[in-house]
Amino acid sequence: MTAPLDAAAVTRGLRPLRIPSRLVCLAQTPSTNDACLERAKAGEPEGFTVTAEAQTAGRGRFGRAWHSPPGLGLAVSVLLRPALPAERLSLLTAAAAVAAAETCGPDARIRWPNDAVVRDRKIAGVLVEGRPSTRSARSGETEPGAFVLGCGLNVNLRPGDFPDDLRAASTSLLIERGVPQDRNAVLRAFLEHLDRRYDEALSGDPALPRAWRDLSALVGRRVAISEGGRDYRGEVVDLDVLEGISLRLDGAIRRFRLEHVERLRLA
Ligand code: BTN
């Protein structure tokens, strides 16, 4: 185990940021997303961030488990209260995926929609949970949504630290760089990238969708998409986090909304 997570070490000298407005480092918790959601219900302001040395019930997308062995990885959750309409919420996932890939260095790419991979092996995953903004029928006022953006990043795991069934498809910063990494520095880098990309999501800056598209590296590649129980194979002609993915299928171009795509893989 390298140096323990330490809130003061992560935030020292950091200019005041929206993320993290406050950082709490726990020894162990079932899931940092749950710890953060509880604080959201208690009225914690945006930017509240929780990390933990170990999670005992970390979870990923589609109910999968996220493996967080003590002291080796990074499990972090950030509370967001974005004033974004429902059709722009995919920008939150994009901001997290881009920030995770940027934290992992220039060889990292995004594997659709929000894994960070190096050499096609998973190095980080993102899980965004929460509720969108609501409009009161009585007062007409809009209450911003509350979301928890969780990221798990494999920092100092060695091949033997991964479960057998995930080992071949996983990697870590230690495996890629050959030496253990300072988790406080990795966490600080992630939070700085996320703060910038989240600002872009809120302001509608096209730099964020552009970075997500470029890091996804799918344009021009052949993919197989499952949607509504059917499979489609074709070349990706365009990819946009808000508009969807366009495939050339036997001459015709068809667009798929990202939220309707059940599965996407290289074909
Ligand atoms: C995935 O790959 O499907 C997403 C994995 C997300 C894991 C992170 S670790 C921090 C936060 N707490 C959780 O329980 N899950 C997320």
Side-chain angles (χ1 to χ4, degrees):
M1 173 161 155
T2 51
L5 291 166
D6 171 358
V10 174
T11 53
R12 192 170 297 130
L14 217 56
R15 67 187 167 88
L17 294 173
R18 193 194 312 252
I19 301 169
S21 54
R22 191 155 81 86
L23 172 62
V24 172
C25 300
L26 304 174
Q28 180 171 301
T29 187
S31 155
T32 54
N33 265 25
D34 287 341
C36 203
L37 281 166
E38 273 165 32
R39 302 307 294 253
K41 283 187 203 134
E44 192 76 47
E46 173 160 86
F48 175 74
T49 301
V50 192
T51 184
E53 290 289 355
Q55 295 186 117
T56 52
R59 61 178 177 274
R61 300 173 67 236
F62 305 115
R64 290 190 285 250
W66 178 262
H67 184 63
S68 303
L72 297 179
L74 215 49
V76 56
S77 300
V78 179
L79 172 60
L80 302 176
R81 297 185 182 279
L84 280 176
E87 65 275 13
R88 296 184 72 79
L89 287 175
S90 53
L91 290 172
L92 298 183
T93 304
V98 170
E102 288 174 330
T103 304
C104 295
D107 294 335
R109 299 283 175 273
I110 293 171
R111 184 165 60 200
W112 188 90
N114 55 356
D115 286 346
V117 296
V118 175
R119 294 181 300 118
D120 257 348
R121 294 183 178 156
K122 180 156 169 171
I123 195 162
V126 168
L127 176 67
V128 179
E129 300 177 298
R131 57 166 175 75
S133 55
T134 47
R135 199 178 162 83
S136 157
R138 223 159 18 113
S139 68
E141 275 176 27
T142 302
E143 191 190 324
F147 291 87
V148 170
L149 184 158
C151 177
L153 201 152
N154 301 329
V155 183
N156 289 326
L157 286 82
R158 297 178 191 275
D161 297 316
F162 292 99
D164 291 349
D165 56 329
L166 298 180
R167 188 167 305 132
S170 304
T171 191
S172 70
L173 293 178
L174 182 156
I175 293 170
E176 297 303 319
R177 298 177 184 170
V179 286
Q181 303 292 305
D182 173 353
R183 287 179 306 142
N184 288 313
V186 176
L187 176 54
R188 179 188 170 104
F190 173 72
L191 294 172
E192 284 188 294
H193 287 302
L194 182 62
D195 186 67
R196 184 161 61 91
R197 294 301 182 180
Y198 182 55
D199 267 354
E200 291 172 356
L202 294 183
S203 66
D205 190 328
L208 172 60
R210 203 164 47 227
W212 183 82
R213 178 184 191 271
D214 292 348
L215 284 165
S216 297
L218 279 178
V219 175
R221 305 198 60 180
R222 278 191 67 77
V223 299
I225 281 184
S226 310
E227 190 199 73
R230 283 191 60 187
D231 283 346
Y232 302 85
R233 276 169 194 267
E235 182 195 321
V236 178
V237 290
D238 196 20
L239 182 67
D240 185 283
V241 69
L242 295 173
E243 300 297 329
I245 184 163
S246 300
L247 293 196
R248 191 188 317 279
L249 303 164
D250 299 328
I253 307 269
R254 178 176 169 141
R255 179 174 287 182
F256 299 82
R257 298 280 312 178
L258 295 180
E259 62 272 28
H260 297 157
V261 174
E262 288 138 21
R263 187 157 179 244
L264 180 149
R265 62 195 155 79
L266 291 175

